Amino acid sequence: MSKYIFVTGGVCSSLGKGIASASLGALLECRGLKVCMVKIDPYLNVDAGTMSPYQHGEVFVTDDGAETDLDLGNYQRFTYSNLTQDNSITTGQIYQSVIAKERAGKYLGKCVQVVPHITDEIKRRIYMLGEKEDIDITIVETGGTVGDIESIPYLEAIRQIIHERGRKKALSVHLTLVPEVTGGEVKTKPTQHSVKAMREIGIQPDVLLCRCKHELDMDLNKKISLFTNIDYDAVLSAHDVNTTIYEIPAIYHEQGLDRVVCQKMDIKKTRGSFSEWNKLTNRYKAAEKTLRIAMVGKYTLLGDTYKSVDEALVHGAMNNGVKLEIVKIESDQLEDKDDLTDFFKDIHGILIPGGFGDRGIRGMVDTARYARENKIPYLGICLGLQIMVIEYCRNVLGIKDADSAEFNPQGPNNVITLLEDQVDVTEYGGTMRLGGSFTHLEENTKILQAYNKEKIIKERHRHRYEVANDYKERLQEKGLVLSGFTPDAALVESVEWTNHPWGVSVQFHPEFTSTPLKPGPLFNEFVKASIKKI
Ligand code: GLN
């Protein structure tokens, strides 16, 4: 039967609970335990699919096609946890199923209430995950901050689980902020209050992770321990790192996080090996050259919008022994410019990621042209493929009004059209082509080489539009390589330029499966090709 670790946050949001939870998962896996990662999002949306990237950052897509919070991406990158629809719990889903049961008369005339019906449904979902596939530890991260109105039912469910299972089988890890005020003085009061807020709910945290600028000094750990009833060796410093987030598991390990957790939960597993993680980060720290990749997209000003793409580029850079700088450019800044040289003068590779809507499209088309004509390595992802095809049609095939039905529904030359099964779709939530599916790769292509000659690959999708089949032959005649197709050959999945060092685009999202220990093949090859430009 699985044991449970509940990770909660205090003081304020965005402290890095996702990375902390994922790092804990990685450390427990290094000790030979089988881990299941779960994210709770206390909002009323059923999933993250309908949320604006401006508000909520990237939408992460699981293999089974769930549109989830980007923290599942952190879990994917740090752990081997199987991530499905069930590993992402939202208040929208909980209420949807309780209300459906109520409408079906399943509550036998009872008054349906937050406690016990909502809390029971939360517990049912959590227990169901822990009971799957011989899981040793289920790590449940609750979004938001203690004190938020929205997270109260979840904290109540967690309190009940800790009570039902006992502390050896259910542990509370709390992440708080230890700020530095003017003059560099470090303050523990917000942390004391945050733990107090947890205790008022009935949960005594067992482990405390203190987010701070610089490593906490021992006296402060002692003070925090005294005021919070948390053992001294279970109060850990979660200080900022300035190299890569992949160093965080090692930082926690050095302070004994996995040892403390295993002791508290009576888990007897041999000491694990962390050598792979250490090798990886040491190599990155030792890298001398810096690779500069321009990412030309729509929501580039926000840090988390293309989180998985950013990380996949880091994986490629780590694997190829270079440091990475991602230069984010809002594509509409590039529109109506005679020459883009100034924007790209120090750039070694160009990437156009996924996106929706027509703003900034002209700037992306000009970017693809610039990369093609100036022989700069180019990776197009989803929208980035559609842009590559539109650009090729306009500037090589001479179809000046080539467009996508997404931006110009009545366009006479829509080389990108709506997928057949999308024509009658009217609802937005969960209705795109979503999740993992297979692509057959063609012989003698760069993509086949990237995937190490694996002819059939599986990657995740999230789109409504595709390359129009009417234009396929003309594109091929003029030298665009259609390098990958769906197994039934009905849809184009990847294209590439000829007479170009490396220009590859894919309709799927290779970023969702890339991890530091196993970088996405396309990112690895794109980085390799771009390094030649340094
Ligand atoms: N908007 C495009 C489509 O729906 C591309 C989607 C994406 O880039 N994820 O097909």
Side-chain angles (χ1 to χ4, degrees):
M1 204 196 273
S2 171
K3 300 192 178 200
Y4 292 88
I5 298 176
F6 296 98
V7 181
T8 51
V11 182
C12 62
S13 59
S14 303
L15 292 181
K17 268 199 308 286
I19 305 271
S21 309
S23 300
L24 176 57
L27 292 178
L28 296 175
E29 282 185 350
C30 286
R31 286 184 171 252
L33 297 163
K34 188 155 168 59
V35 169
C36 168
M37 304 291 306
V38 187
K39 174 76 195 285
I40 289 175
D41 279 298
Y43 45 66
L44 279 164
N45 303 61
V46 172
D47 60 38
T50 52
M51 281 198 240
S52 156
Y54 281 117
Q55 259 201 15
H56 207 72
E58 166 189 282
V59 175
F60 183 80
V61 180
T62 58
D63 190 58
D64 67 344
E67 297 176 285
T68 71
D69 184 81
L70 54 79
D71 273 323
L72 270 83
N74 289 321
Y75 308 159
Q76 172 96 31
R77 292 184 277 275
F78 282 79
T79 74
Y80 294 96
S81 168
N82 186 21
L83 297 169
T84 68
Q85 200 125 30
D86 297 339
N87 299 57
S88 165
I89 299 176
T90 67
T91 302
Q93 291 164 19
I94 299 287
Y95 273 81
Q96 204 175 39
S97 64
V98 170
I99 290 170
K101 272 199 227 162
E102 185 274 333
R103 291 288 82 186
K106 297 266 168 63
Y107 292 107
L108 308 174
K110 285 198 191 98
C111 172
V112 182
Q113 295 178 297
V114 173
V115 182
H117 301 104
I118 293 293
T119 45
D120 278 355
E121 178 61 16
I122 295 169
K123 279 160 47 183
R124 188 188 68 78
R125 294 277 311 261
I126 292 174
Y127 282 143
M128 179 185 79
L129 279 153
E131 276 144 27
K132 266 192 199 171
E133 312 166 52
D134 312 322
I135 301 292
D136 296 308
I137 308 269
T138 306
I139 299 178
V140 184
E141 176 195 347
T142 308
T145 307
V146 55
D148 291 350
I149 293 174
E150 297 184 316
S151 45
I152 292 172
Y154 294 102
L155 294 173
E156 169 58 15
I158 293 170
R159 184 195 66 74
Q160 292 178 18
I161 293 178
I162 295 175
H163 178 72
E164 281 165 23
R165 295 279 159 116
R167 304 192 80 77
K168 293 233 175 286
K169 291 193 178 139
L171 195 86
S172 160
V173 174
H174 193 56
L175 180 85
T176 69
L177 178 69
V178 179
E180 265 180 38
V181 291
T182 330
E185 206 184 331
V186 178
K187 292 292 179 191
T188 65
K189 194 76 79 188
T191 294
Q192 295 176 34
H193 279 287
S194 180
V195 174
K196 200 167 151 215
M198 289 290 286
R199 290 215 300 253
E200 275 164 13
I201 292 163
I203 304 172
Q204 164 66 54
D206 301 284
V207 176
L208 199 61
L209 306 177
C210 304
R211 273 312 307 275
C212 45
K213 235 181 167 152
H214 305 103
E215 187 164 358
L216 274 192
D217 88 41
M218 312 261 261
D219 289 343
L220 282 178
N221 286 37
K222 275 187 198 143
K223 183 174 172 189
I224 293 171
S225 163
L226 183 72
F227 278 101
T228 56
N229 277 357
I230 298 171
D231 296 338
Y232 169 66
D233 68 348
V235 178
L236 307 186
S237 169
H239 42 278
D240 291 352
V241 289
N242 51 17
T243 47
T244 141
I245 50 167
Y246 302 108
E247 214 183 334
I248 294 174
I251 290 178
Y252 283 137
H253 174 65
E254 276 157 28
Q255 298 180 70
L257 175 62
D258 43 311
R259 178 182 44 80
V260 167
V261 164
C262 288
Q263 265 166 9
K264 288 192 181 296
M265 299 185 94
D266 244 352
I267 297 168
K268 290 182 188 61
K269 283 274 174 180
T270 47
R271 201 178 171 286
S273 156
F274 303 92
S275 59
E276 269 192 300
W277 285 97
N278 289 341
K279 237 192 281 166
L280 196 79
T281 49
N282 288 341
R283 182 146 185 238
Y284 191 66
K285 280 194 268 181
E288 280 169 6
K289 287 186 185 161
T290 299
L291 181 72
R292 267 188 302 280
I293 300 293
M295 194 192 285
V296 181
K298 290 181 56 165
Y299 330 92
T300 52
L301 300 179
L302 261 135
D304 281 345
T305 315
Y306 299 113
K307 186 76 190 141
S308 293
V309 180
D310 294 349
E311 291 306 321
L313 284 170
V314 173
H315 306 157
M318 288 202 290
N319 199 46
N320 284 287
V322 287
K323 291 220 161 65
L324 175 73
E325 188 188 326
I326 303 177
V327 181
K328 297 205 171 170
I329 303 176
E330 276 293 299
S331 59
D332 51 10
Q333 282 179 14
L334 304 181
E335 292 179 348
D336 306 317
K337 300 274 185 282
D338 293 333
D339 187 8
L340 298 183
T341 313
D342 273 356
F343 289 94
F344 295 123
K345 62 177 183 298
D346 298 322
I347 294 298
H348 309 118
I350 295 178
L351 187 151
I352 297 190
F356 296 83
D358 63 356
R359 186 177 64 77
I361 293 300
R362 281 186 299 126
M364 291 183 207
V365 171
D366 291 349
T367 299
R369 178 179 196 160
Y370 185 87
R372 182 174 56 78
E373 292 181 343
N374 293 282
K375 306 220 182 292
I376 300 171
Y378 173 93
L379 175 59
I381 296 174
C382 205
L383 178 65
L385 173 140
Q386 300 173 358
I387 293 292
M388 184 163 156
V389 171
I390 293 172
E391 189 280 320
Y392 209 81
C393 286
R394 287 186 190 171
N395 301 320
V396 180
L397 274 63
I399 310 173
K400 291 291 167 214
D401 54 2
D403 216 333
S404 162
E406 181 177 8
F407 322 133
N408 186 4
Q410 306 308 330
N413 273 307
N414 282 342
V415 295
I416 306 294
T417 50
L418 209 51
L419 284 157
E420 211 175 290
D421 58 6
Q422 292 286 322
V423 176
D424 297 323
V425 169
T426 51
E427 294 227 330
Y428 282 111
T431 54
M432 279 185 252
R433 179 182 180 214
L434 285 167
S437 61
F438 293 103
T439 295
H440 284 220
L441 301 180
E442 297 291 302
E443 292 293 347
N444 302 319
T445 56
K446 294 201 170 77
I447 190 168
L448 184 65
Q449 195 183 345
Y451 280 90
N452 210 5
K453 305 217 157 42
E454 229 177 285
K455 280 210 184 124
I456 302 174
I457 56 161
K458 192 180 191 203
E459 295 283 8
R460 300 178 194 173
H461 296 76
R462 183 174 188 249
H463 66 117
R464 288 187 204 282
Y465 297 86
E466 56 159 328
V467 176
N469 285 334
D470 292 352
Y471 296 84
K472 270 185 347 200
E473 270 176 30
R474 272 180 278 173
L475 285 164
Q476 281 171 313
E477 274 162 21
K478 291 280 184 191
L480 190 74
V481 180
L482 309 184
S483 52
F485 295 90
T486 45
D488 59 2
L491 304 180
V492 173
E493 290 279 26
S494 70
V495 303
E496 43 194 77
W497 289 321
T498 34
N499 301 321
H500 187 279
W502 204 89
V504 177
S505 282
V506 287
Q507 191 59 78
F508 48 79
H509 289 267
E511 68 272 26
F512 292 140
T513 48
S514 180
T515 75
L517 300 176
K518 201 166 174 284
L522 286 169
F523 292 94
N524 199 36
E525 287 298 302
F526 171 56
V527 164
K528 213 184 269 173
S530 304
I531 287 174
K532 294 191 186 137
K533 295 270 169 194
I534 293 184

